[in-house]
């Protein structure tokens, strides 16, 4: 089925460990996004990539890095995980124009202990 | 920066009744898009309805409709004939031109 695939779905990390969240879309979308969702906070934008080869900071970029590997893939890396990064992470993609809407992955629940 | 405000953290409605979820936003742009997303316990983000600001007519999708008041910067969602499957978090979102800005959400519980 066409859509956005995120891996892993669940992860537990120890403080200071690093990991990469993977995201891939097969809809030939230009733009991709990483959000985090915390209780009572809605979804907040971490980083986005308007097109292959470009990335920009969102509202809450501190502690994260991203890579737009190619048009399909957009990864999010935590270099040194902290408990404050415990959250649900969503990847999304869009064709680049709002009229076409956004497609979301199923999310990654990350716990940092 | 655009902000989206959902003033109702939690709401409850009985099955078959009608409920309205509120959303206000702040922007200086004239043309933009607004969305309502549903997030059931499965965590999946599901597009409910979208509205283009330059269109006067309110968007409708089956039991879901919006009341879009551009001058007041208000974008409320009305759910008619509520069903148990409508129980979910509902997020209002504004397209800023490069990404979606979300409100904090309204948790809707539909009771039998």
């Amino acid at each position: 089925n066409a859509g956005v695939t995120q891996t892993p779905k669940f992860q537990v990390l120890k403080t200071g460990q690093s990991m990469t969240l993977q995201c891939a879309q097969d809809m030939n979308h230009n733009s991709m996004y990483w959000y985090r969702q915390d209780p009572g906070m809605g979804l907040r934008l971490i980083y986005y990539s308007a097109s292959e080869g470009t990335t920009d900071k969102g509202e809450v970029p501190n502690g994260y890095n991203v890579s737009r590997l190619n048009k399909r893939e957009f990864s999010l890396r935590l270099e040194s995980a902290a408990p404050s990064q415990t959250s649900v992470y969503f990847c999304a993609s869009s064709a680049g124009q709002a009229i076409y809407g956004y497609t979301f992955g199923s999310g990654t629940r990350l716990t940092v202990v | 920066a655009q902000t989206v405000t959902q003033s109702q953290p939690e709401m409850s409605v009985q099955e078959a009744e009608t409920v309205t979820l509120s959303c206000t936003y702040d922007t200086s742009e004239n043309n933009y898009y607004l969305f309502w997303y549903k997030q059931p316990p499965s965590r999946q983000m599901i597009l409910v309805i979208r509205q283009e600001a330059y269109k006067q007519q309110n968007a409708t999708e089956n039991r879901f409709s919006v009341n879009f008041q551009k001058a007041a910067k208000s974008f409320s969602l009305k759910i008619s004939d509520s069903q148990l499957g409508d129980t979910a978090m509902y997020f209002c979102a504004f397209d800023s031109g490069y990404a979606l800005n979300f409100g904090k959400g309204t948790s809707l519980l539909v009771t039998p």
Side-chain angles (χ1 to χ4, degrees):
Chain A
N1 292 334
V4 178
T5 302
Q6 289 183 238
T7 55
K9 294 190 183 304
F10 300 93
Q11 184 71 47
V12 178
L13 287 179
K14 293 183 179 179
T15 297
Q17 287 186 318
S18 62
M19 79 160 296
T20 300
L21 279 63
Q22 307 286 352
C23 175
Q25 53 92 7
D26 57 5
M27 296 168 286
N28 201 36
H29 283 170
N30 290 320
S31 302
M32 298 186 73
Y33 313 84
W34 277 106
Y35 289 87
R36 61 176 287 173
Q37 181 180 15
D38 302 294
M41 296 298 293
L43 281 75
R44 294 181 292 170
L45 183 67
I46 305 171
Y47 271 93
Y48 68 100
S49 172
S51 62
E52 186 178 354
T54 68
T55 61
D56 287 284
K57 295 178 180 180
E59 180 185 356
V60 288
N62 291 344
Y64 306 95
N65 287 301
V66 291
S67 295
R68 183 75 182 266
L69 305 171
N70 47 56
K71 193 170 186 178
R72 290 187 64 248
E73 298 173 287
F74 189 39
S75 62
L76 179 71
R77 183 161 177 84
L78 288 69
E79 291 290 352
S80 179
S84 61
Q85 295 178 303
T86 293
S87 188
V88 178
Y89 292 84
F90 285 95
C91 178
S93 71
S94 76
Q97 297 183 46
I99 191 171
Y100 300 116
Y102 294 71
T103 302
F104 285 81
S106 57
T108 296
R109 180 175 292 280
L110 175 67
T111 302
V112 183
V113 298
Chain B
Q2 292 86 359
T3 57
V4 179
T5 302
Q6 295 180 249
S7 59
Q8 305 149 315
E10 297 179 347
M11 295 191 72
S12 180
V13 64
Q14 283 194 314
E15 206 173 1
E17 296 295 308
T18 295
V19 64
T20 298
L21 281 58
S22 300
C23 174
T24 59
Y25 59 94
D26 183 29
T27 183
S28 58
E29 298 178 16
N30 188 50
N31 193 23
Y32 47 87
Y33 291 82
L34 294 159
F35 302 83
W36 278 97
Y37 278 87
K38 171 185 177 180
Q39 187 182 45
S42 67
R43 205 169 66 198
Q44 186 66 39
M45 293 292 287
I46 302 167
L47 176 64
V48 175
I49 200 164
R50 85 185 79 189
Q51 176 77 43
E52 300 171 58
Y54 71 90
K55 287 190 175 179
Q56 301 277 351
Q57 187 173 5
N58 290 325
T60 299
E61 290 285 347
N62 300 314
R63 298 182 295 107
F64 298 87
S65 62
V66 298
N67 183 3
F68 174 51
Q69 301 290 327
K70 190 174 183 180
K73 296 179 182 176
S74 173
F75 183 60
S76 60
L77 175 69
K78 185 172 80 172
I79 305 174
S80 304
D81 185 27
S82 296
Q83 301 176 359
L84 296 178
D86 295 333
T87 291
M89 283 291 293
Y90 287 83
F91 292 100
C92 179
F94 176 100
D95 189 287
S96 61
Y98 61 88
L100 283 177
N101 290 347
F102 287 89
K104 294 184 177 181
T106 296
S107 178
L108 177 66
L109 176 65
V110 181
T111 58

